[in-house]
């Protein structure tokens, strides 16, 4: 596998063929906001927060799915990028009903942290106030559509790690919804193993444990790496 | 140099931000040495209507506005306060985002009124028609920045006393309050 050289923010970096710009950014400890990205899951470029500028390409590209190339010149920080990132976060807040004060993950929320990161003092757009459903049919967990940012982490972890594929997407544009089973109540989906992986990887308060109340739900995403490393090392195989 | 003139305003909120303001504790003494609280929800002369309550709102250097804009009176008060303030600060999450009062936006205004005044009322079931006493609800609850220009945002439900003190100190010293997780938090 050949080694490629590129520059990110005028710093010379190296990477292996097949790696993404985001891989190199992480390896070099460069700060870049992400939301749908989670180590261990297939990147899907759903949130567009990791957009970067690449010299010679007129449009912005998502760092998580763009493969590095020899001589690539990447910029992760500019006035234009900062504007777009802040706009994306504001639009996420405007689209869902994100009332932090009454949310189970208040204080531990990745969307909140992104707000601080991009300097979101307020939302300049009109809030949409769509009426979303809450699905509390599962014995252990709740799905609150109003907090969902459609990052699809739950879908990917259930499919790629747990192997149950309980979750999926339906609809288009603003009507996209994360659904369980064939758009059935979560509690009636027999494939659900109640493992809770989807709950733990959810960056916001869309998926939470029934016992959690405001500001109580701290999520543990480190389990994913432990599981994947364990499988790789076959530590559970007799 | 005279004291800095500060006013505080209470729109559609729970007054938690004003309670947090009182949590400044002994810092209030320090504040009183350099600033004068010209108006607040508890110092104002109460007249008969919510709007008149603010008609004598003084010209101030800094106004802290708590609460979302939920009714027609809030709109009038807010515009008046904006006119008479050099610096207007959105004080707390309701003023910044709409926060809990904006949950009402999930329903039609008429349905909300019917539910509160007719369906769930046990006595005198009627929707108030006297708009002087009970102001007309707006169709949507909105943050104050969607009605007037806001100079600074102080999120938090409520903002901590430290956040309030940080903002006031910055403004008194003529510095720009820096937005960061260190100084503010949502919710």
């Amino acid at each position: 596998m050949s080694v490629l050289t590129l520059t990110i923010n005028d710093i010379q970096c190296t990477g292996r063929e097949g790696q993404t710009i985001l891989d190199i950014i992480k390896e070099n400890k460069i700060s870049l906001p992400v939301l749908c990205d989670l180590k261990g899951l297939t990147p899907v470029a759903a949130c567009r927060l990791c957009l970067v500028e690449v010299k010679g390409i007129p449009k912005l590209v998502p760092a998580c799915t763009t493969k590095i190339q020899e001589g690539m010149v990447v910029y992760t920080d500019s006035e234009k990028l900062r504007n777009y990132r802040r706009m994306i976060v504001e639009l996420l807040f405007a689209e869902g009903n994100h009332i932090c004060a009454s949310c189970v993950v208040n204080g531990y929320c990745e969307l909140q942290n992104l707000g601080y990161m991009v300097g979101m003092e307020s939302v300049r757009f009109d809030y949409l106030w769509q009426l979303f459903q809450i699905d509390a049919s599962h014995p252990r967990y709740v799905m609150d559509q109003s907090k969902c940012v459609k990052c699809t982490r739950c879908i990917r972890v259930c499919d790629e790690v747990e192997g149950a594929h309980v979750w999926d997407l339906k609809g288009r544009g603003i009507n996209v919804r994360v659904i369980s089973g064939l758009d059935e109540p979560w509690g009636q989906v027999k494939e659900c193993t109640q493992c809770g992986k989807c709950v733990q990887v959810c960056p916001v308060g869309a998926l939470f444990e029934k016992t959690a109340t405001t500001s109580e739900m701290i999520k543990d995403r480190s389990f994913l790496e432990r599981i994947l490393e364990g499988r790789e090392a076959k530590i559970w195989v007799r | 140099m005279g004291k800095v003139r500060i006013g505080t305003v209470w729109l559609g909120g729970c007054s938690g931000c004003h309670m947090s303001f009182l949590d400044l504790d002994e810092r209030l003494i320090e504040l009183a040495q350099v600033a004068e609280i010209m108006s607040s929800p508890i110092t104002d002369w109460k007249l008969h209507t919510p709007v008149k309550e603010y008609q004598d709102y003084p010209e101030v250097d800094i106004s802290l506005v708590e609460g979302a804009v939920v009714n027609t009176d809030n709109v009038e008060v807010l515009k008046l306060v904006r006119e008479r303030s050099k610096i207007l600060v959105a004080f707390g999450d309701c003023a910044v985002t709409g926060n809990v009062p904006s949950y009402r936006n999930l329903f039609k205004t008429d349905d909300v009124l019917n539910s509160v005044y007719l369906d769930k009322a046990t006595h005198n079931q009627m929707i108030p028609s006297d708009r002087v006493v009970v102001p007309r609800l707006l169709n949507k609850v909105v943050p104050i920045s969607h009605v007037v220009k806001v100079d600074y945002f102080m999120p938090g439900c409520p903002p901590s006393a430290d956040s309030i003190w940080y903002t006031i100190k910055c403004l008194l010293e003529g510095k720009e309050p820096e937005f960061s997780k260190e100084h503010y938090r949502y919710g």
Side-chain angles (χ1 to χ4, degrees), chain A residues 178-237:
Chain A
V178 171
I179 54 167
S180 45
L182 294 171
D183 204 2
E184 307 153 76
W186 189 4
Q188 292 174 21
V189 180
K190 293 190 180 70
E191 288 74 20
C192 178
T193 61
Q194 305 196 20
C195 69
K197 289 185 179 69
C198 52
V199 176
Q200 296 300 331
V201 298
C202 174
V204 290
L207 292 170
F208 58 94
E209 288 168 359
K210 273 196 169 165
T211 50
T213 61
T214 305
S215 309
E216 276 190 356
M217 177 93 205
I218 305 171
K219 300 194 178 183
D220 172 24
R221 299 188 179 92
S222 63
F223 80 93
L224 190 56
E225 277 186 63
R226 289 198 302 274
I227 289 178
L228 295 174
E229 282 168 12
R231 283 185 186 173
E232 185 81 13
K234 300 193 187 313
I235 60 174
W236 296 295
V237 178

Side-chain angles (χ1 to χ4, degrees), chain A residues 69-83:
Chain A
Q69 288 174 7
E70 179 63 32
M72 204 177 224
V73 178
V74 180
Y75 294 99
T76 65
D77 192 27
S78 68
E79 191 63 35
K80 182 180 176 182
L81 286 169
R82 284 194 291 273
N83 279 338

